[in-house]
C-alpha cells in the first residue's frame, strides 16, 4: 500500500456521503477517490478506482452494504478493506457484514479523530473491533442465532482448528474474547511481538484474511462459546 490511502465512501444519503468525503479529505495521507450512493455503485467504483478502504453504509437501496462487501471480498485482483458504517453499535446487520468479509465497523456519530484512526487501522491490514464491542457483538449474535453458518470468507470447518498448536488455540480464544494484543501478551506473559506472530500464523493456517474473520470463525466453529451459553 502506498503512503496515500485511497478511499471510496458509499452511503445513500447525499449529505452524509459528502460530509464524510469532505472530512476525510482534510487529512494529508487520505485521498477520497470517489463516492457511491448504493452497493452496486460501490462495487463498480472499487473495481475502477481500486481504493485501499471503503466506508460502506449497511442499509442502502438495491444492493445493500452486506452484499456489496461480499462481492468485493470475493472478487479477483485488488480487494479493498471494508469499514462498515452503522447508526447503532448493535445494528442487526453488522454481524452479517463481518461474516461477509468486512474488516470492522464504525458508528456514524464517531468523532473525526476516531474516523481517521479507523481508516488508518483498517488500511494497515488490522481489524477494527474494539474489545468491548467484540465481546458484546459477537456473543450476542451467536447467542441469538446459534449454529447459523453461512458460506463466506470467515467460514472455517471446526476440524481446521486442529491444525493449530495448543498455544495458537489459546491465542485465538483470547482474540475471540475481545482481548487486544497487549492484553494477550500480559495474560500469557510473552511479548506483544510474539502475540502478533501467533496471530499471523493462525490466520495463515485457517486461510483467513484478518483478525475479524478469526473472531467470527472461532465462534461459528464452536471453539469459543458465548458466556451466556456456558453451563
Amino acid at each position: 500500500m502506498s503512503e496515500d490511502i485511497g478511499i471510496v465512501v458509499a452511503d445513500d444519503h447525499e449529505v452524509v456521503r459528502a460530509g464524510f468525503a469532505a472530512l476525510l479529505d482534510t487529512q494529508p495521507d487520505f485521498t477520497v477517490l470517489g463516492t457511491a450512493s448504493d452497493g452496486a455503485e460501490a462495487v463498480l467504483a472499487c473495481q475502477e478506482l481500486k481504493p485501499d478502504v471503503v466506508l460502506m453504509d449497511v442499509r442502502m437501496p438495491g444492493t445493500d452494504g452486506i452484499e456489496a462487501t461480499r462481492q468485493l471480498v470475493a472478487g479477483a485482483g485488488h480487494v479493498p478493506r471494508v469499514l462498515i458504517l452503522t447508526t447503532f453499535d448493535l445494528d442487526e446487520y453488522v454481524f452479517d457484514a463481518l461474516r461477509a468479509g468486512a474488516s470492522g465497523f464504525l458508528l456514524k456519530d464517531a468523532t473525526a479523530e476516531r474516523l481517521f484512526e479507523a481508516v488508518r487501522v483498517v488500511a494497515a491490514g488490522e481489524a477494527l473491533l474494539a474489545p468491548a464491542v467484540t465481546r458484546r457483538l459477537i456473543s450476542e449474535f451467536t447467542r441469538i442465532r446459534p449454529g447459523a453458518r453461512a458460506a463466506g470468507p470467515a467460514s472455517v470447518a471446526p476440524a481446521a482448528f486442529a491444525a493449530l498448536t495448543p498455544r495458537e488455540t489459546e491465542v485465538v480464544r483470547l482474540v475471540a474474547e475481545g482481548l487486544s494484543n497487549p492484553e494477550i501478551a500480559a495474560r500469557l506473559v510473552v511479548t506483544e511481538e510474539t502475540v502478533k506472530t501467533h496471530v499471523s500464523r493462525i490466520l495463515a493456517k485457517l486461510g483467513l484474511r484478518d483478525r475479524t474473520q478469526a473472531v467470527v470463525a472461532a465462534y461459528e466453529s464452536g471453539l469459543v462459546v458465548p458466556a451466556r451459553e456456558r453451563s
Side-chain angles (χ1 to χ4, degrees):
M1 186 183 68
S2 61
E3 185 176 346
D4 231 27
I5 298 173
I7 304 167
V8 163
V9 179
D11 195 292
D12 61 325
H13 291 94
E14 184 177 358
V15 173
V16 174
R17 192 167 65 243
F20 272 114
L23 195 57
L24 292 165
D25 262 338
T26 66
Q27 298 302 290
D29 57 331
F30 291 172
T31 299
V32 176
L33 302 174
T35 63
S37 61
D38 60 38
E41 281 188 16
V43 172
L44 291 175
C46 290
Q47 291 172 342
E48 178 183 350
L49 302 172
K50 295 180 171 50
D52 299 297
V53 176
V54 185
L55 266 66
M56 184 83 75
D57 186 22
V58 171
R59 301 174 183 177
M60 293 184 288
T63 302
D64 64 15
I66 297 170
E67 178 57 29
T69 296
R70 189 175 292 114
Q71 291 180 23
L72 287 172
V73 172
H78 179 79
V79 177
R81 300 282 174 173
V82 179
L83 180 58
I84 293 294
L85 296 172
T86 184
T87 306
F88 305 105
D89 62 352
L90 277 179
D91 188 303
E92 63 182 295
Y93 300 108
V94 170
F95 186 66
D96 289 333
L98 295 178
R99 182 189 277 125
S103 292
F105 77 98
L106 185 71
L107 298 181
K108 287 188 177 182
D109 62 358
T111 64
E113 291 73 20
R114 179 60 173 156
L115 170 65
F116 302 152
E117 176 195 13
V119 170
R120 293 185 179 109
V121 166
V122 170
E126 298 293 329
L128 188 76
L129 279 180
V133 172
T134 302
R135 286 189 288 267
R136 196 165 70 251
L137 178 76
I138 305 297
S139 294
E140 181 67 11
F141 280 95
T142 51
R143 183 188 69 81
I144 291 173
R145 292 183 288 181
R149 293 180 58 91
S155 295
V156 175
F161 284 91
L164 302 182
T165 66
R167 178 47 63 94
E168 288 167 351
T169 299
E170 191 174 13
V171 168
V172 79
R173 282 196 175 107
L174 294 175
V175 168
E177 288 175 10
L179 273 66
S180 64
N181 283 351
E183 290 170 334
I184 294 173
R187 176 79 65 89
L188 300 180
V189 195
V190 297
T191 66
E192 190 175 342
E193 192 60 37
T194 296
V195 175
K196 290 180 180 178
T197 298
H198 283 313
V199 172
S200 295
R201 289 175 178 168
I202 289 165
L203 297 179
K205 287 183 177 181
L206 299 180
L208 300 174
R209 192 174 60 150
D210 62 26
R211 192 186 189 96
T212 304
Q213 292 183 1
V215 171
V216 175
Y219 277 95
E220 291 198 326
S221 69
L223 180 71
V224 177
V225 179
R228 295 182 186 181
E229 294 182 12
R230 295 174 190 156
S231 55

